[in-house]
Amino acid sequence: MPSAIEAPVTDAVWSANPYQPHAARIVRIYNMVENNHLFTLRFVDEDIGLSFRHRPGQFAMLSIPGTGEAPISISSSPSRPGVLELCVRRAGRVTNALYRMKTNDLVGLRGPYGNGFPVTEIEGHDLLLAAGGLGMAPLRSLLWYALDNRDRFGRVTLMYGARTPADMLFREELVSLVDRTDMNCLLTVDTDPGSVWKNHVGLLPGLFDHAEIDASRTFAAVCGPPVVYKFILRKLLDLGFRKDRILMSLERRMKCGVGKCGHCSIGYKYTCLNGPIFTYWDAINLPEMI
Amino acid sequence: MKILKLRKDRLDFFASVVQQFGEVHAPVEVDGGYAFRRLSRWSEARLNYPRTILPPKKYFLPQRETLFRFVPEKGYVPSAEGLDTRIILFGMHACDIYSLNILDMVFGGAYPDPYYQARRKHIVIIGIDCIPDKHCFCRSMRADFVDHGFDLFFYDIGDYYLTMVGTALGDDMVLATGPLFEQPAEADVDEYKRRSSNKRAAFQLEVEIRDLPEIFEMEYQSGIWDELGEKCLSCGSCSMVCPTCYCYDVADSADLGTRDGARMRIWDSCLFSTHALVAGGENFRHSRASRIKFRFYHKQRGFVAEYGRPSCVGCGRCVAACPVKIDIVEVLERLRGVQHAVSH
Amino acid sequence: MSTTIRIEHLARVEGHGGVTVVVEDGAVSDVRFDVFEGARLVETLVRGRRYEDVSQILSRICAICSVAHALTSIKATERAFGVEVSPQTKALRDLLFRGENIESHALHLFFLALPDYLGYPSAVALAKDYPDAVKIALRLKQLGNTIQEVIGGRAVHPVNAIVGGFGRVPAEEQLISLREALLAGIADCRAAMDLLVTLPAADYCHTDTVFAALDSTGGYGYFHGDEVTIVANGRRTQIPGDAYLGFTNEKAVPHSHAKHSSYNGRPYMVGALARLTAHHDKLDARAHEVMARLGLTLPSRDPMDNNKAQAVELSADLHLALETVDQLLSSGVHDEPPVAFQPRAGTGTAITEAPRGILIHSYRYDDEGKIASADVITPTALNAASVEDHLRCSVRQAGTNETAELTKRLEMIVRAYDPCISCSVHLVRRRDAE
Amino acid sequence: MSKPTAGIFGLTGCAGDQLVILNCEDQLLDLVALIDIRDFLMAGSANDTGCDLDIAFVEGAVMSKRDEQALRRVRARARTLVAIGTCAVWGGVAATDESAPRDAWLEEVYGPTGADYDSLPARALHEVVQVDYQITGCPIEKDEFVSAVANLLNGDAPLLPQYAVCVECKFRECGCLLTERGEVCCGPMTVAGCNARCPALRIPCVGCRGPAADANFASATAMFTEGGVSPQDVARKLRTFAPQGVQQ
Ligand SMILES: Cc1cc2nc3c(=O)[nH]c(=O)nc-3n(C[C@H](O)[C@H](O)[C@H](O)COP(=O)(O)OP(=O)(O)OC[C@H]3O[C@@H](n4cnc5c(N)ncnc54)[C@H](O)[C@@H]3O)c2cc1C
Ligand code: SF4
Ligand code: SF4
Ligand code: SF4
């Protein structure tokens, strides 16, 4: 045949397919908070596990075969490789299906995606992590990254508020940080119905009274529901934070994770490629961002 | 670029030779409109069509496409269904070719889409000259002319087509016809130039796109959006017919009685309220006004920032397809504050 | 001594109905064929609607007869507007009706009626022991559906048939594959007949029956034609369709028997058996052979023979559908638009044969082409009096007081009529919720 | 694992959705192999009318006290209740005119006894009981039904389109009846899933599946009245199958 068309190129969908989920086994399911379980996953193929290197703040696409796919932040730190931890809130089809699964079941995973926190930029500076409610999930990776590389960061402060102690993600783990002297771990709950809580009680912004923060040498990473942004951002600006040193993790609908499907587009940025970590300056420039 | 010419009355013969390179698809008439379809006879082809209902993007990013088959023991197995089919798109207009060049940027990049790429490699593009009608404004969008993205391109110069040979494959097709193609004479080039400038004058619509991104920023709160939001039916027609709208949804379908299934992607539209809806019910573009604004904003402003040019090629399809006559040219001109103008 | 036999919910029929029979000292003192369908008032709902919506709305009277309702509606509208359609349209409509008849008869014979004869509760249960028979039946049913899909655009509630013709005429390739399917169907049907001829007899009632059927034009069919043939005591009477009120007694309302139709004071039966009784001479030798194999002799005195009559029609329809397809293919199908017409004030009455018997739509239009009044008379309504008559007769002839056996027989008789209770928009005897 | 149990029920309607289930000729034997259909009056006579059910499919509108009681009984038995068909989801054709003088009509159609009938204005199932999933269509589409069952068997919610018929009409590249022929096509207001059956046959959509999630009836009405159709006729047209949807 007089043709210049080359041999089949469909091999590409086999070898370099960015949409290809890889089998991962659920090695542990930990019921942290009602409908907020921590799933520990390990890739079945060790090579894939080794080549999967994420930055704090990045996310993965989690597949439940036959049900669908959803973006989930990676809650574990790259400084603790081998397994990935996903803190998943039961919210819809995919997450419901995940909650039906048991230890040893297989799911699909691909990634890591997104920009993640600019850790190399943050290194050498103080770090303030401020989270409300479920916002702790994406920040936890950064927290452990900083603690595991303690010498590369200045002062590390965590402020985390939940409604009640029972709603606090990673509670035991975080409570155990309160006594650490190389960081300031401030935990608060809005109310303490069982009167068991030994830490702060009160709204999240109140924690600023217990923290020593020098805005000129600090990066702030903020994540939480809209009210958290509202109050924390105001506080940070009052303290004199530079707008491009306030980092936020955003949620959008996502179908591909790699800048094709269009769903996570915010004006002229893709949450999956240019985000999910955006600075406050981005937020001012991007309409409909928060 | 290699430039040849072909006698118009030999086009049929050329088409018959070209068949050996793949399935020939060309515009045919369907219920008063036109659509690219596989030809059963060359005589079905309508090369002097205004525009097809769907753009040729359907060949590269099909309306519904299986990305993976899922089998419990094997996991997600990529589907290569139809990716190797050699198709010849005969008679694409410049704006449509341009739109593929735009999609190339989206489906390339750091994460090339292997499905799109495979099809792009396998589908042959033969372009053809066209005459603008009342909805065309490709010239304003700088998409009335393409310098790459085709294998062959035919310009009408009277008794002949002046033929641009864009690729080695295009050249093979030319060679396969034996001595059918001829060397153009100087007069042919003159005729091309004459017709080219006539075509320029034939455009009935003109939009100024310089500083449009800035104007979008300035008019972000404009009342126009509410007005359009009230009118828009959210039918999605404009997105479906747009050669550069690429939003898609992904869903797993399950086979009856097993956990087998398929992961499908299906065209989607930012005009639908589900587009920016996230779990838990939060919707970043809840109002119809915010959605229609987003469509225009993304094309004329967002895409410029991402890829350096608007993602509109001025094909006029969305204008022709909108049941409530929402007209992008009119919107752009109203944003600029000038009346709908018809040049010359 | 008085016994009441009550069948609360008739199973394996379309819609919600029951039967109550009160037997006193061996004689039947009361028989009721009860209908529990909610009243949808569809005839009043179409009032004021433009002609193009009418067939769509009225087809929703019943799914199993939806082609019959939609096309009868179109026929009535065309009568009112004086629309004359093309021969191709006529052939396609004929084919569409046959498709519905094939599907409906296959469903009724194999899925609703057959389990009784073989002593199973359902075709699914039957499939365990007769897998091949059920698969054949499924294929025949599917073939009927395929015809409706190809011509009507959908198997239930067709959309392609409109006043003046069709939205889009099926393409030649579609008819060619239909042809192949019909050939396969004919073979399937032959195999199915082999099973049907082995079925045990079920004659529970013998009595003189009056029959009524459309005198179809252009051969044995269900759509074309305007006269009704009534066969009573060997005498045939032709009645023009416009005079339908004369034999449906629709508007006479003696309280309890309102809308139970009668002819000269006698109930009559409509449906496959009635059609065969009146018009078997329009069928060819092949069909008569099937009749003979099934042991069906006409005129029949046994309502259960309606099942056999359906089997004869099923077989005949496959051949007749094939003929129509061949004729369309040889003349070449043209993608012709519906004929143009002007809506106008007027009345139109259409009589056709739904799978279960005579169906009448009669409309009055205003000058804007909107419905001023509509009247729909369905086969199940026409049959109601006859069903009751046959139930009464079967109890009389039963020679048993065994309730279970009687109940089974009564159910089988009702089922043999292939009633379509959703269709019975007019049935008056309805029971209120307990 | 034991097979999930199911029941298929009809209230007042045309039985079209039950018929569509029986019309799944290619999948019917698979379906009954996967689910234990315990109660399906239209197809069988040995029904267990009291057992608990994992899934109940209910067709038809609630149009009588009897319907209402039947529906409540089914709801009490069923873990998951799925409304099938436009009547069950939206009320259907019988609900089209809620201002109808029902008593007068009953008498007109059924004579003097009509007034005593157990007859109520049509309601969709969700107006009477809690409904878990809705599969619309007049009648439902085979494919949608089968894939919904597949999803339900996996424990997932059925995935059904929410966008308009126009999307599928464009997918098929049919000529647009609105823009090219000026016809009154309800495609933009009607939820997809039928693969644009009618427009593909050059027949305007009459909206038999009920409204799309984003239907804009106000703008559609303006569009048709500008095209010369009287507002009353437009209203009637849009209300034919799912009057509730128009009100929303
Ligand atoms: C960057 C990022 C990080 C995130 N990190 C976390 C995290 O760490 N933990 C966490 O719990 N959540 C996280 N989320 C949120 C999480 O992705 C959402 O909650 C997700 O939608 C849950 O998926 P679901 O299928 O369970 O929910 P649903 O919203 O029910 O599912 C939505 C999906 O179902 C399908 N679907 C539903 N209805 C339809 C329909 N009508 N038609 C077609 N398709 C339909 C679609 O595929 C859709 O995407 C993150 C999101 C983002 C963007
Ligand atoms: S936005 Fe409209 S004119 Fe521009 S490319 Fe898309 S369809 Fe064509
Ligand atoms: S085609 Fe028109 S009405 Fe439809 S979504 Fe686009 S802008 Fe809205
Ligand atoms: S096009 Fe409209 S009327 Fe036709 S089947 Fe689809 S929803 Fe129903």
Side-chain angles (χ1 to χ4, degrees), chain C residues 53-103:
Chain C
D53 294 338
V54 176
S55 69
Q56 279 292 326
I57 295 173
L58 290 184
S59 99
R60 266 70 184 185
I61 289 173
C62 169
I64 304 188
C65 317
S66 56
V67 161
H69 278 291
L71 271 87
T72 310
S73 170
I74 288 167
K75 183 172 166 181
T77 300
E78 287 174 354
R79 290 279 186 285
F81 295 165
V83 180
E84 194 48 53
V85 299
S86 74
Q88 177 176 284
T89 295
K90 286 184 177 163
L92 287 168
R93 286 178 175 177
D94 189 68
L95 191 55
L96 181 51
F97 251 76
R98 256 183 240 292
E100 178 171 74
N101 216 49
I102 292 168
E103 193 278 334

Side-chain angles (χ1 to χ4, degrees), chain C residues 73-284:
Chain C
S73 170
I74 288 167
K75 183 172 166 181
T77 300
E78 287 174 354
R79 290 279 186 285
F81 295 165
V83 180
E84 194 48 53
V85 299
S86 74
Q88 177 176 284
T89 295
K90 286 184 177 163
L92 287 168
R93 286 178 175 177
D94 189 68
L95 191 55
L96 181 51
F97 251 76
R98 256 183 240 292
E100 178 171 74
N101 216 49
I102 292 168
E103 193 278 334
S104 181
H105 283 4
L107 174 72
H108 177 249
L109 279 172
F110 301 105
F111 293 83
L112 309 184
L114 184 65
D116 287 330
Y117 287 84
L118 296 172
Y120 290 84
S122 68
V124 168
L126 194 100
K128 290 197 185 76
D129 299 327
Y130 294 85
D132 295 338
V134 170
K135 278 181 197 147
I136 288 176
L138 280 170
R139 285 204 297 269
L140 286 170
K141 199 169 106 46
Q142 187 165 39
L143 171 57
N145 279 332
T146 306
I147 298 175
Q148 297 180 77
E149 276 158 19
V150 168
I151 319 283
R154 179 160 64 188
V156 177
H157 302 315
V159 297
N160 196 21
I162 54 175
V163 179
F166 286 91
R168 189 186 294 281
V169 174
E172 191 173 293
E173 308 88 78
Q174 290 175 290
L175 292 179
I176 290 172
S177 39
L178 204 52
R179 188 174 189 281
E180 259 132 53
L182 280 164
L183 287 171
I186 288 170
D188 272 342
C189 186
R190 216 173 284 133
M193 289 303 154
D194 293 342
L195 171 68
L196 293 182
V197 295
T198 65
L199 293 183
D203 42 354
Y204 303 137
C205 149
H206 290 269
T207 181
D208 275 350
T209 305
V210 180
F211 296 100
L214 172 74
D215 187 3
S216 62
T217 51
Y220 194 93
Y222 310 103
F223 182 64
H224 303 292
D226 287 306
E227 287 195 351
V228 169
T229 309
I230 295 192
V231 184
N233 304 330
R235 277 217 330 274
R236 300 169 68 90
T237 315
Q238 294 287 108
I239 302 182
D242 292 341
Y244 75 95
L245 290 176
F247 67 91
T248 57
N249 288 350
E250 257 293 309
K251 297 297 174 192
V253 190
H255 179 78
S256 65
H257 280 274
K259 308 210 170 170
H260 275 201
S261 301
S262 60
Y263 172 67
N264 286 347
R266 289 181 62 189
Y268 55 86
M269 188 175 183
V270 299
L273 186 57
R275 291 191 288 260
L276 276 191
T277 306
H279 301 300
H280 63 89
D281 55 326
K282 294 183 190 172
L283 287 172
D284 62 8

